[in-house]
Amino acid sequence: RWEYRFVKNVLAREKSLSFVATLLSPGRRYISEGTEEVFALPTTAQEWERFDVMMLGDVQPGVLTPEQMLQVRARVAVGGAGLIWIAGESAVPQGWAGTPLADLLPMVVSSERPGLWEQDVVMRPTALAEKLGVLRLGDRLEGGGFCPALFGDPGSGWSRLRWAQRLDAGRLKPAAEVLAEAHPVEGGGEHSPLVVTKRYGAG
């Protein structure tokens, strides 16, 4: 999907880490990109151990076998790895309801897709993000924060998100914490969780 090229470029520029990306093309053939070539997903617990962070795009759960799902869950819960979910129109989060990885999602999921914002939104980091030092876009500003006002200004154009799920805060699990919220560009008091984090076991 369109955001992949941006994530890939950010990871490629970061010299403190190595990354491997596998793209599932038609015919269930994997295309590999990154600092090394990997043309198949790990199939054993030992093979998953080499990854500190795993990122799943908006893929159907069928890309992983039940055994692989259990291996990923164990890698997070016991091994302390991180798992990043990227929601989308296809499968995340609703497609993963009832699977072994549903426990790792920060919200209670069903087979029904979450609602969508019917207008553009901007992302605004929460006080928790400031406290944890994440979602920073530069040095500390005069007011004490790290996100310039332009970041939340829909007039800039680039800050607008033209597609976002409208997550129900009431469906977040007790351990979930909101790092950023979606605010409609037309203003008003409405907002919804946009970036959410949750601990699961050691990860």
Side-chain angles (χ1 to χ4, degrees), residues 1 26-27 66 98 110 114 121 135 142 152 177 181:
R1 298 189 319 282
S110 66
V121 300
L135 301 181
E142 185 175 329
E177 297 178 293
E181 298 172 333

Side-chain angles (χ1 to χ4, degrees), residues 2 21 34 39 48 55 72 85 91 121 131-132 149 168 199-200:
W2 67 268
F39 293 102
W48 286 107
M55 184 180 300
V72 170
W85 295 87
V121 300
K131 179 179 179 181
L132 296 177
D168 180 0
R199 292 201 63 84
Y200 184 80

Side-chain angles (χ1 to χ4, degrees), residues 13-73:
R13 294 188 190 110
E14 180 52 61
K15 303 305 180 184
S16 66
L17 56 82
S18 60
F19 84 99
V20 172
T22 54
L23 303 175
L24 185 59
S25 65
R28 294 192 65 82
R29 184 173 65 89
Y30 283 100
I31 299 172
S32 180
E33 294 186 312
T35 53
E36 60 182 284
E37 293 184 336
V38 174
F39 293 102
L41 296 178
T43 57
T44 67
Q46 291 71 29
E47 291 175 348
W48 286 107
E49 286 179 1
R50 58 189 292 237
F51 299 106
D52 297 315
V53 179
M54 298 162 285
M55 184 180 300
L56 285 175
D58 188 28
V59 295
Q60 297 287 341
V63 302
L64 298 176
T65 66
E67 292 76 15
Q68 287 174 313
M69 292 186 199
L70 291 173
Q71 292 162 3
V72 170
R73 188 171 72 178

